[in-house]
Amino acid sequence: MAIGMFIHRLHPKTVAPRFVKSIPSTVSGIPGWIRLVFYTPSNYGNGGGKGRTYPVIVNFHGGGFTIGSATDDARWATAVVQLADTVVCSVDYRLAPEHPHPTAVEDGTDAVLYLYEHADELSIDRERIGISGFSAGGNLAITVPMRLQDIRQRRNTNEGYWNPSVSLDDTGSISKKQRHRDEETPIVKIVVAWYPKTDFSRVPLPTQWPDKELPWFFVKLFDAAYLHSFDAARPINLYSPYLSPAVASDEQLRSALPRNVLLYTTEYDSLYAEGERLRERLKGLNGAIDVQGKMISNKKHGWDRSPNVFQEDLVAQEVYAEACAEIRRVFYDDPRGLLASGSTRKPPLKSKDVVDENINLIDLA
């Protein structure tokens, strides 16, 4: 996998990380450090961007919660930096089996908290924070805002700022006025989830293309590592919304997720059905969440990280640009998205493999 990711970063050429920070874990009960890798627009921190603050996308890599690193999504980071004029903070959350659930969710929450609390020194606009993720990271893109909502209610003070010294078990007292203000100003403004795992409480249904699915041996191995509990008396709750967002209540989804959600699934993926079920649930929340994104036909899970040193994947190029245009619209109130980005990169070619989100869900139940 390491060789594949090296080639993934090699062609097409990707931007290099600008700087790296390591932060201590505060949400998890297990002490440790979380590595944050930053990709930035070209004028970040120099004369052209002096005094300016940038929006940020916090990204979570895939790998079944057991493998992978923060630099795996270099192509996506490059697209966001260049097309959405946005900083990308990619998170090296701690991995299973040494760190099973919920450590990854807690580390992801810590990353968002850190960016919010240190926004000024990082030249980041704390009012423009988004989250993205791929596969396992797509799960984190949805569950981290839910965990963040819980942390927010527990840590918020009447002054409207987090007090990191307050423990998770101390619910404290939050004024109705402050709670209302929090609900009106969500920290996360957009979520972009790529072929996410959304429901551990159900065994994924096999597709019609078993030869194109993720090998079941690896799926079971990853799940066993991530869902392992070191305390036999307290097994992992597969119905926890912080693990399986698909089983969260409507109120939990409505209150924790931002209005803007982009959800991408792929046709040849055992996770396709559960991803589309979640899409339909979010659509049914009385307009509280604007769900965009597509099912991408003729593609398998993780197709966009397949190494190819000879040519770019036009489908990946197109859907990345589409997602970046929506990120730019949310962060810059720019309805033209890519056309207004000032990028010299040509708009991607249209591909017949990208289809609308109007999908027949008869077979997804």
Side-chain angles (χ1 to χ4, degrees):
M1 180 176 176
I3 296 176
M5 288 298 99
F6 172 78
I7 299 175
H8 171 85
R9 296 189 293 270
L10 187 64
H11 182 82
K13 187 176 180 180
T14 59
V15 297
R18 186 72 171 268
F19 60 94
V20 176
K21 285 185 174 291
S22 291
I23 64 172
S25 62
T26 65
V27 176
S28 174
I30 303 174
W33 291 85
I34 308 159
R35 184 168 170 264
L36 308 179
V37 178
F38 289 82
Y39 299 84
T40 68
S42 58
N43 63 346
Y44 172 93
N46 59 28
K50 188 176 182 179
R52 175 185 171 186
T53 58
Y54 290 81
V56 62
I57 289 289
V58 184
N59 184 70
F60 302 109
H61 66 82
F65 302 99
T66 64
I67 58 176
S69 71
T71 57
D72 287 353
D73 301 322
R75 290 183 190 173
W76 167 243
T78 298
V80 174
V81 165
Q82 295 181 344
L83 302 182
D85 199 23
T86 293
V87 171
V88 173
C89 172
S90 198
V91 183
D92 255 335
Y93 54 89
R94 288 174 290 175
L95 301 173
E98 293 83 2
H99 298 284
H101 177 79
T103 303
V105 184
E106 293 168 336
D107 286 358
T109 304
D110 252 326
V112 178
L113 288 171
Y114 176 83
L115 293 174
Y116 187 91
E117 294 170 348
H118 295 81
D120 293 341
E121 65 189 73
L122 294 170
S123 297
I124 285 172
D125 183 351
R126 63 169 51 90
E127 300 300 323
R128 293 184 292 170
I129 296 176
I131 297 179
S132 67
F134 295 78
S135 190
N139 173 283
L140 297 178
I142 302 168
T143 56
V144 164
M146 301 180 71
R147 195 72 177 96
L148 181 64
Q149 178 79 353
D150 176 65
I151 299 297
R152 215 173 171 200
Q153 291 179 351
R154 295 170 184 265
R155 286 189 173 183
N156 228 322
T157 69
N158 288 334
E159 287 73 33
Y161 214 75
W162 284 295
N163 181 356
S165 65
V166 178
S167 73
L168 287 177
D169 294 327
D170 184 0
T171 58
S173 60
I174 304 171
S175 69
K176 291 183 178 179
K177 180 178 179 181
Q178 180 61 46
R179 192 185 300 267
H180 176 73
R181 184 165 61 192
D182 288 345
E183 292 173 353
E184 291 297 315
T185 56
I187 294 300
V188 178
K189 297 302 191 297
I190 185 171
V191 163
V192 186
W194 300 91
Y195 36 86
K197 174 67 178 176
T198 64
D199 192 353
F200 282 92
S201 71
R202 300 171 63 169
V203 177
L205 296 175
T207 70
Q208 302 175 45
W209 306 276
D211 59 317
K212 298 179 180 179
E213 294 179 7
L214 287 171
W216 281 102
F217 171 79
F218 289 110
V219 172
K220 292 179 179 179
L221 188 64
F222 291 157
D223 287 357
Y226 187 54
L227 303 178
H228 169 69
S229 175
F230 291 116
D231 184 352
R234 300 181 62 186
I236 300 295
N237 178 13
L238 301 183
Y239 292 87
S240 166
Y242 306 129
L243 175 65
S244 300
V247 304
S249 69
D250 287 353
E251 179 56 33
Q252 285 174 312
L253 294 172
R254 188 183 296 110
S255 63
L257 294 181
R259 171 163 177 75
N260 303 286
V261 172
L262 285 154
L263 178 60
Y264 290 92
T265 60
T266 56
E267 184 177 12
Y268 304 148
D269 188 0
S270 58
L271 302 182
Y272 160 75
E274 60 189 74
E276 292 303 326
R277 282 195 298 269
L278 180 62
R279 186 197 304 278
E280 291 305 299
R281 279 202 63 197
L282 296 180
K283 282 183 176 181
L285 296 179
N286 298 321
I289 298 178
D290 180 16
V291 188
Q292 302 293 328
K294 296 178 172 70
M295 183 276 284
I296 304 169
S297 66
N298 303 318
K299 295 297 180 182
K300 62 184 180 179
H301 188 94
W303 103 97
D304 53 324
R305 32 253 320 109
S306 298
N308 189 331
V309 298
F310 301 106
Q311 67 179 54
E312 294 187 53
D313 185 323
L314 296 182
V315 179
Q317 186 186 37
E318 179 179 341
V319 292
Y320 278 13
E322 175 190 89
C324 288
E326 182 64 10
I327 290 171
R328 188 177 182 93
R329 182 194 67 79
V330 171
F331 284 157
Y332 290 97
D333 193 24
D334 179 5
R336 292 181 296 168
L338 177 62
L339 298 178
S341 69
S343 171
T344 57
R345 185 174 180 176
K346 295 181 180 180
L349 299 175
K350 286 291 181 181
S351 168
K352 62 182 178 63
D353 288 333
V354 181
V355 301
D356 293 331
E357 63 179 26
N358 298 320
I359 306 165
N360 187 342
L361 299 180
I362 294 177
D363 297 328
L364 301 186

